[in-house]
Amino acid sequence: MPQQKIAANSLSPITLLQIVPSLAGSGLARATLDTAQAVIAAGGRAIVASPGGAMLPDLLRLRATHIDLPEWGSPLWSRLSLPARLASSLRHSDVSVIQSRSPVAGWVAGSLSRRLRVKWVSTLHRPFGAASFMERRAERRQLQADAVIAVSDHVARDVPERSPDAADRLYTIPPGINLDRFDPAQVRADRVVQLAGDLRVPDGSHVVLCPARFDRDRGQKRLVEAIKRLGRENVFCLLLGSTGAPTVFEKEAEQAITAAKLQGRVQIGPYVEDMPAAYMLADVVVAIGGKVQGVSRPLLEAQAMGRPVVAEDGGGAAEAFLPGATGWLATPGDAAALAGALDTALSLSPQRRGELAAAAQNHVRGRYGLTVTNQQLLELFQLVTA
């Protein structure tokens, strides 16, 4: 689709303020840290305002500054008071540009940018689809930013229909992958063995890995049904993403596993810090969610590790790989189709797996390397602040 081109030029250091809903272990939190690191490496300063989360220590190790915010679930009056409170605390920080990473964060960023008289960039991490009036209003408000970043073409296609004026301020910049970290050659065997023990992976099993949070149904229950339909006793499915006390949906997923009589073959596991080792355990990595997915960082990371991937068609995850060459697509919402795609991936010959691994790594290195995407972001910030 037509979109603005980002012209390379000499970059000046900036002070970037990112407003995010959480620094819990997620793709959004990882993108926040990657952007902060890029700004700091370019000689600038990175500030993140968030309610915190598991990745806060990693952010602070980058020498970024963190400003504590209340949880997004707090009362509306608290959200409305945030711009004034942030403006007061940031008055002497010389913020150059603000980046928001969710609808509510965009609501705060828009007001704050006017108070500080700086530019605002909103990043759309998922397609529009809010249920309530206030949520839909917050989604639309993101399109009032000085620049709008879509993380995939799937997300970008929605923008001109909702705000034709925003099309001239629209940029598609996918997430970047740290190819030094996600490199099979850098993962020692003892890390994989240790993780397999920690996660109680049965010896000799073919591992289907699905990393996804349990804050809501992201397709995990459909994957449970697909594993049942697959009917292969030697398959072990890991649903990684549990964080502390079980959520309402996590309990529902556990019930689905029990109802399908898949205890011992499908297991919910915790958020894993050493994801490179987790991918090395996997025979196939799955992303489900169809049209509601903006992008799938796990599918990109898995391909960087040379792993076959499976996703449902119609969403941003489908853009992350080459169907038939580095992975397979399934019909959205169809557990039987998902089982068929998994069966194909699990039945690859050693030679075919080797060919797929090389193609997958080349695909990610060519388009999704962190160096490339960080440069695009820095150039956009430069363009906006010029």
Side-chain angles (χ1 to χ4, degrees):
M1 64 177 296
Q3 64 178 27
Q4 288 277 353
K5 299 296 183 182
I6 303 172
N9 48 49
S10 96
L11 304 176
S12 302
I14 64 169
T15 296
L16 172 68
L17 168 66
Q18 296 182 80
I19 304 177
V20 300
S22 173
L23 287 176
S26 66
L28 187 150
R30 172 52 59 191
T32 301
L33 267 65
D34 287 342
T35 301
Q37 185 173 23
V39 168
I40 292 169
R45 184 182 177 209
I47 306 171
V48 174
S50 84
M55 298 182 77
L56 177 56
D58 297 324
L59 176 74
L60 298 178
R61 278 193 286 272
L62 297 176
R63 300 186 182 276
T65 300
H66 184 260
I67 299 175
D68 289 319
L69 296 182
E71 294 289 340
W72 281 159
S74 59
L76 180 60
W77 66 263
S78 176
R79 296 180 187 175
L80 295 177
S81 69
L82 281 180
R85 290 160 53 190
L86 282 172
S88 178
S89 63
L90 291 165
R91 185 165 290 115
H92 303 295
S93 296
D94 295 322
V95 171
S96 311
V97 61
I98 301 170
Q99 182 180 21
S100 61
R101 292 188 177 273
S102 76
V104 174
W107 190 283
V108 175
S111 179
L112 181 61
S113 69
R114 292 191 294 272
R115 291 172 183 270
L116 297 180
R117 297 182 180 179
V118 298
K119 299 296 185 179
W120 163 36
V121 176
S122 65
T123 297
L124 310 181
H125 285 270
R126 64 185 185 188
F128 289 83
S132 73
F133 170 77
M134 287 303 296
E135 289 173 336
R136 291 196 299 271
R137 188 176 177 187
E139 281 186 336
R140 290 194 300 271
R141 190 162 182 174
Q142 295 176 102
L143 304 182
Q144 298 175 9
D146 297 286
V148 179
I149 298 174
V151 297
S152 67
D153 290 337
H154 174 60
V155 173
R157 277 191 289 270
D158 215 14
V159 173
E161 296 178 7
R162 296 178 182 272
S163 177
D165 293 343
D168 293 334
R169 294 174 276 113
L170 176 63
Y171 303 80
T172 302
I173 303 179
I177 303 303
N178 185 334
L179 299 176
D180 292 326
R181 181 172 185 241
F182 291 97
D183 178 359
Q186 301 303 316
V187 181
R188 302 186 312 272
D190 63 304
R191 285 167 53 187
V192 181
V193 171
Q194 176 68 46
L195 186 60
D198 293 343
L199 296 174
R200 303 191 303 279
V201 177
D203 292 339
S205 296
H206 294 293
V207 178
V208 174
L209 178 65
C210 178
R213 288 176 294 155
F214 285 88
D215 54 341
R216 57 183 171 83
D217 189 353
R218 296 173 181 270
Q220 291 99 324
K221 289 198 291 186
R222 190 156 56 255
L223 179 56
V224 170
E225 183 182 348
I227 295 297
K228 183 176 181 179
R229 288 174 175 269
L230 190 60
R232 295 176 57 158
E233 297 291 333
N234 62 346
V235 169
F236 181 71
C237 179
L238 267 174
L239 307 175
L240 294 184
S242 177
T243 56
T247 63
V248 172
F249 173 67
E250 186 174 336
K251 293 176 182 178
E252 292 178 6
E254 285 281 14
Q255 291 169 359
I257 294 169
T258 301
K261 299 180 180 180
L262 290 174
Q263 302 97 314
R265 290 177 52 201
V266 178
Q267 178 175 297
I268 293 176
Y271 166 76
V272 171
E273 178 63 33
D274 192 358
M275 283 306 297
Y279 292 128
M280 292 297 286
L281 276 174
D283 291 278
V284 59
V285 178
V286 186
I288 44 245
K291 293 182 179 180
V292 301
Q293 283 192 310
V295 73
S296 176
R297 181 180 288 268
L299 290 196
L300 296 174
E301 294 171 346
Q303 288 174 97
M305 300 298 293
R307 270 27 195 179
V309 298
V310 167
E312 292 183 319
D313 202 357
E319 299 175 24
F321 64 97
L322 305 175
T326 68
W328 288 267
L329 286 171
T331 305
D334 188 336
L338 183 58
L342 289 172
D343 190 52
T344 300
L346 292 168
S347 301
L348 293 174
S349 66
Q351 178 181 348
R352 181 69 183 94
R353 285 188 70 89
E355 294 169 352
L356 183 147
Q361 289 174 311
N362 288 336
H363 171 60
V364 173
R365 289 168 183 163
R367 183 180 177 190
Y368 297 100
L370 188 58
T371 301
V372 173
T373 57
N374 277 348
Q375 184 67 17
Q376 290 178 323
L377 282 172
L378 292 174
E379 290 171 359
L380 177 55
F381 294 147
Q382 191 76 49
L383 182 65
V384 170
T385 58

